[in-house]
Amino acid sequence: MSDLTDLYQSVILDHNKRPRNRGKPPTANRVATGDNPSCGDNCTVFLHLDAAHRIDAIGFEGSGCAISQAATSLMTTQVKGKTAAEAEALFNEFKEIVTTGNAPEEISDLAAFAGVHAFPARIKCATLGWHATLEALKQPPSA
Ligand code: ZN
């Protein structure tokens, strides 16, 4: 079961234990929800773009397995300060990591999820929050 042990690396455990950016930021005016019925995960992402179209506030709510919660927490720390295009590029790197297990060393925190590739059913868990964020970025801002 060493693969499973690898899957739950310290970054994942840490984000699961102490989720970052939990809850709706007061300035958030974009929202999107993601569901992963096969595992029972759900998450709602709230965010706000500054005048330069960068994410200056992001938070999430939801529940689900350790992978989904940790990946969403880590995602919020990674996309803060990014534009929609930059966030999407980062997601493509993350998707590559979780589907192939190949991780470039320079993005070490995202690479903690490389072990997910051995468990294809969990890829949806790991990408749930990212999909919600990209969806929220496409939504028109509410008042
Ligand atoms: Zn899950």
Side-chain angles (χ1 to χ4, degrees):
M1 298 302 276
S2 69
D3 280 347
L4 259 181
T5 310
D6 290 344
L7 181 63
Y8 294 98
Q9 291 178 43
S10 60
V11 172
I12 298 178
L13 285 173
D14 180 52
H15 277 273
N16 197 51
K17 205 170 164 186
R18 298 185 301 119
R20 318 299 200 277
N21 302 305
R22 185 102 189 148
K24 181 183 177 183
T27 56
N29 62 357
R30 291 168 200 262
V31 61
T33 298
D35 260 311
N36 180 22
S38 64
C39 182
D41 312 318
N42 67 80
C43 86
T44 302
V45 170
F46 309 91
L47 56 85
H48 181 264
L49 299 179
D50 66 15
H53 301 289
R54 290 184 178 280
I55 299 169
D56 65 353
I58 184 165
F60 76 101
E61 289 174 353
S63 61
C65 68
I67 296 292
S68 71
Q69 296 299 295
T72 302
S73 169
L74 176 62
M75 177 277 299
T76 63
T77 67
Q78 298 286 315
V79 301
K80 208 164 184 180
K82 302 280 195 295
T83 64
E86 288 167 349
E88 191 160 358
L90 210 53
F91 171 59
N92 287 332
E93 287 179 27
F94 183 68
K95 203 163 56 176
E96 175 84 6
I97 290 169
V98 296
T99 53
T100 68
N102 299 326
E105 276 178 20
E106 64 266 29
I107 42 176
S108 55
D109 274 3
L110 292 180
F113 288 84
V116 170
H117 89 280
F119 308 89
R122 312 307 292 277
I123 292 170
K124 278 186 185 168
C125 305
T127 57
L128 181 68
W130 288 87
H131 283 298
T133 295
L134 297 185
E135 187 58 36
L137 287 165
K138 288 177 196 150
Q139 301 293 323
S142 61

